[in-house]
């Protein structure tokens, strides 16, 4: 087993791998991570910890008269002594592989505005100190929750990830990315009622656990009365968190190559993609931007493998602000340079954040509740799964909070449901879209934390059956 040479810089490992390369091209990605976490249950801290790790990926390319083949090998905890074996493994894999369909010339330094910027800097690190302002307030919240007969369960996690990308063409890119989230579930002392609140963050300076607890308490208060309803179509309000779960799934399927192959909801009948087609009459915008305030993310492509949504040949290509939906019209799909050539559309690589807004939005969720005669407030989606890719029909369960709204007020908790809806279809049926705000998806927040979403009002959300889940 290898032992990490912690005194060896990631940049040295990257340069060593490139120097050892004996094939036509080489791309090396080193990722240095540090993680800190707090966990609690029943109003008591249970664990905390800090972890560090390194992952090295070597991508070798070999050209021939038939094209260019690639070999990709990645390992964790790699030191200088391990690098040559990794490079030789990648080169062997490339020589034994068929030509890559997505082959393109490797990116040149002139193509990358940030090449070389900060390359010599050390990896960014986190520590348990990132929770220094939040932890005392958390203790006070525990005391208050205990006194009021509530129990809090949850965790806070923070990661600093620093990526170093080096290529045989001379590209050198370093990018440090903070990622944090807090998730809290509140229960009454008899565990008969529960509610959930989550928040994404870069550094926890914007996390107010007192406010989080207040929202949990408010929702548990709503559940003091219980009403059972049958399955059916209900006017339903979805908060930004639930909207994020639906739109993150939509975004993950918005891949041009798969659409062009006729396999997704974004495929046009008769061939090609639906780019240019109107999906909603409302002035809806869905977009990504690596520079979005508070949601900043990777400014260039870092791809450790090739797939329909990314290509190792695109490593280092700049990522810009991209409209996926503009004024209700499908504008772009996730593209590699290869799929962009295939579809005849611009190169629009995937971005690690997602935002949605409506040009006529004027109200937040509370105002939307106040404007509701009778409907449901659906706070959390759970176990979301795809049923039919051709229309992106999703199914899933409600969890930790479905409430009845009457006369502009939340008056009771409602039983859980299974739902069946397509987020693409919903875009065309939205009765109201609220103001967007930073939020955290409940189910997909593990993988995709940088979202800013509005609340939705859907006139006929399909609760397909009653669920016994609690």
């Amino acid at each position: 087993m290898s032992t990490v040479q912690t005194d060896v810089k990631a940049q040295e490992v990257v340069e060593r791998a490139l120097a050892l390369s004996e094939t036509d091209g080489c791309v090396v990605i080193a990722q240095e991570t540090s993680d800190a976490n707090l966990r609690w249950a029943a109003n008591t801290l249970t664990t905390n910890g800090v972890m560090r790790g390194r992952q090295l990926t070597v991508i070798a390319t070999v050209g021939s008269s038939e094209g260019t083949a690639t070999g990709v090998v990645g390992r964790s905890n790699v030191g200088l002594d391990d690098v040559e074996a990794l490079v030789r493994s990648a080169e062997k894999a490339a020589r034994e592989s068929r030509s890559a369909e997505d082959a393109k010339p490797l990116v040149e330094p002139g193509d990358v505005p940030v090449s070389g910027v900060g390359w010599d800097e050390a990896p960014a690190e986190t520590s348990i100190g990132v929770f220094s302002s939040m932890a005392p307030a958390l203790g006070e919240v525990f005391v208050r929750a205990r006194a009021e007969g509530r129990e809090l369960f949850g965790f806070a996690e923070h990661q600093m990830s620093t990526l170093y990308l080096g290529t045989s063409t001379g590209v050198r890119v370093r990018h440090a990315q903070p990622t944090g989230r807090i998730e809290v579930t509140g229960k009454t002392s008899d565990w008969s009622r529960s509610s959930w609140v989550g928040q994404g963050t870069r550094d926890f300076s914007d996390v107010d656990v007192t406010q989080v607890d207040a929202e949990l308490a408010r929702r548990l208060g709503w559940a003091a009365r219980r009403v059972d309803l049958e399955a059916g179509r209900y006017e339903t309000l979805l908060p930004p968190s639930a909207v994020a779960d639906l739109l993150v799934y939509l975004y993950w399927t918005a891949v041009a190559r798969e659409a062009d192959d006729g396999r997704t909801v974004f495929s046009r009948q008769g061939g090609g993609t639906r780019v240019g087609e109107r999906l909603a009459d409302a002035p809806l915008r869905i977009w990504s931007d690596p520079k979005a305030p508070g949601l900043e993310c990777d400014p260039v492509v870092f791809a450790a493998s090739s797939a329909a949504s990314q290509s190792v040949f695109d490593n280092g290509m700049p990522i810009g602000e991209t409209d996926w939906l503009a004024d209700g019209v499908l504008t772009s799909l996730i593209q590699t340079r290869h799929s962009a050539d295939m579809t005849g559309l611009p190169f629009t690589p995937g971005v690690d954040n997602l935002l949605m807004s409506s040009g006529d939005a004027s109200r937040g969720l509370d105002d939307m509740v106040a404007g509701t005669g009778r409907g449901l407030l659906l706070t959390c989606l759970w176990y979301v799964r795809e049923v039919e890719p051709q229309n992106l029909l999703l199914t899933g369960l409600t969890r930790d909070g479905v409430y009845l709204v009457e006369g502009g007020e939340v008056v009771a908790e409602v039983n859980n449901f299974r739902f069946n809806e397509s987020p693409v279809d919903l875009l065309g049926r939205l009765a109201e879209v609220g103001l967007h705000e930073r939020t955290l998806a409940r189910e997909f927040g593990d993988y995709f934390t940088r979202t800013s979403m509005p609340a939705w009002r859907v006139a006929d959300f399909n609760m397909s059956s009653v669920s016994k889940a609690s």
Side-chain angles (χ1 to χ4, degrees):
M1 178 179 293
S2 300
T3 301
V4 180
Q5 293 177 261
T6 54
D7 57 334
V8 178
K9 296 179 179 178
Q11 300 95 318
E12 292 180 53
V13 177
V14 172
E15 298 294 357
R16 177 70 171 271
L18 292 170
L20 288 167
S21 172
E22 295 177 348
T23 52
D24 300 314
C26 187
V27 178
V28 184
I29 303 172
Q31 182 182 27
E32 299 271 345
T33 58
S34 63
D35 297 81
N37 64 74
L38 294 178
R39 296 183 181 279
W40 55 90
N43 303 328
T44 303
L45 281 175
T46 56
T47 60
N48 65 77
V50 177
M51 298 171 289
R52 290 182 174 78
R54 172 184 293 169
Q55 176 77 21
L56 188 72
T57 302
V58 177
I59 303 158
T61 69
V62 175
S64 71
S65 59
E66 298 178 352
T68 300
T70 62
V72 181
V73 177
R75 288 180 190 157
S76 59
N77 300 334
V78 174
L80 282 180
D81 295 341
D82 308 303
V83 174
E84 182 163 12
L86 205 63
V87 173
R88 299 297 169 243
S89 294
E91 292 175 343
K92 182 174 185 293
R95 293 188 177 101
E96 294 175 350
S97 298
R98 296 179 179 176
S99 299
E101 184 185 42
D102 59 330
K104 288 285 183 182
L106 295 183
V107 176
E108 299 285 342
D111 301 323
V112 189
V114 296
S115 182
V117 177
W119 176 255
D120 295 329
E121 294 182 20
E125 290 195 1
T126 189
S127 71
I128 207 71
V130 74
F131 307 120
S132 60
S133 62
M134 186 194 77
L138 191 60
E140 295 173 6
V141 164
F142 289 161
V143 171
R144 183 165 53 253
R146 191 176 297 114
E148 295 176 357
R150 292 179 284 111
E151 294 187 358
L152 303 179
F153 303 78
F155 60 88
E157 295 179 338
H158 190 250
Q159 182 186 75
M160 289 298 306
S161 169
T162 307
L163 287 162
Y164 295 90
L165 168 69
T167 74
S168 55
T169 55
V171 171
R172 299 292 185 272
V173 177
R174 173 193 179 277
H175 178 70
Q177 179 68 62
T179 301
R181 65 189 171 116
I182 179 173
E183 296 192 39
V184 189
T185 299
K187 293 180 179 290
T188 53
S189 56
D190 61 358
W191 289 25
S192 62
R193 292 174 268 159
S194 66
S195 59
W196 173 90
V197 172
Q199 181 178 339
T201 179
R202 287 173 61 86
D203 57 12
F204 284 86
S205 63
D206 55 348
V207 174
D208 184 342
V209 291
T210 301
Q211 189 175 49
V212 169
D213 181 57
E215 180 62 21
L216 289 167
R218 181 168 78 141
R219 295 183 182 186
L220 290 174
W222 289 340
R225 178 186 168 217
R226 164 86 175 206
V227 173
D228 289 326
L229 295 177
E230 299 294 325
R233 290 185 176 272
Y234 292 92
E235 179 171 322
T236 301
L237 298 172
L238 293 93
S241 175
V243 171
D245 267 318
L246 293 172
L247 284 192
V248 166
Y249 205 108
L250 179 153
Y251 179 53
W252 283 344
T253 62
V255 178
R257 175 59 193 270
E258 294 175 345
D260 199 56
D261 287 346
R263 290 185 283 158
T264 77
V265 68
F266 300 108
S267 303
R268 187 177 59 198
Q269 286 190 348
T273 76
R274 294 174 66 185
V275 169
E277 185 175 322
R278 178 168 293 282
L279 302 184
D281 292 330
L284 305 180
R285 184 189 185 201
I286 300 175
W287 78 102
S288 298
D289 181 1
K291 297 180 180 178
L295 302 173
E296 295 89 344
C297 58
D298 297 339
V300 303
V301 173
F302 293 95
S305 63
S306 282
S309 60
Q310 65 178 22
S311 169
V312 295
F313 292 95
D314 293 343
N315 270 304
M317 284 295 291
I319 299 174
E321 181 177 358
T322 305
D323 278 346
W324 310 109
L325 190 81
D327 198 24
V329 176
L330 182 66
T331 307
S332 308
L333 296 169
I334 298 172
Q335 298 268 16
T336 65
R337 284 186 293 169
H338 169 69
S339 70
D341 286 349
M342 287 182 61
T343 60
L345 297 168
F347 170 59
T348 45
V351 190
D352 200 22
N353 63 25
L354 189 67
L355 305 91
M356 180 188 180
S357 69
S358 176
D360 58 1
S362 61
R363 302 198 292 182
L365 178 62
D366 285 350
D367 289 336
M368 292 169 68
V369 169
T372 301
R374 190 173 194 270
L376 299 180
L377 173 60
L378 171 55
T379 58
C380 292
L381 304 180
W382 188 250
Y383 207 72
V384 179
R385 297 292 183 270
E386 188 173 296
V387 177
E388 174 54 65
Q390 294 297 330
N391 60 5
L392 197 58
L393 179 65
L394 303 179
T395 190
L397 302 173
T398 66
R399 183 178 183 179
D400 293 325
V402 186
Y403 305 99
L404 178 64
V405 180
E406 289 183 332
E409 296 183 353
V410 181
V411 297
E413 180 187 53
V414 177
N415 49 277
N416 282 308
F417 296 97
R418 174 171 291 282
F419 70 89
N420 286 308
E421 283 287 3
S422 163
V424 175
D425 188 49
L426 285 171
L427 292 176
R429 293 164 40 212
L430 295 177
E432 183 179 1
V433 178
L435 297 168
H436 70 99
E437 61 185 58
R438 175 155 193 180
T439 191
L440 180 72
R442 172 76 187 271
E443 181 165 2
F444 301 130
D446 294 19
Y447 317 102
F448 201 99
T449 63
R450 285 172 276 275
T451 54
S452 182
M453 295 289 153
W456 285 357
R457 183 191 303 277
V458 181
D460 54 354
F461 196 87
N462 183 20
M463 303 296 187
S464 55
S465 63
V466 172
S467 169
K468 294 181 180 179
S470 60

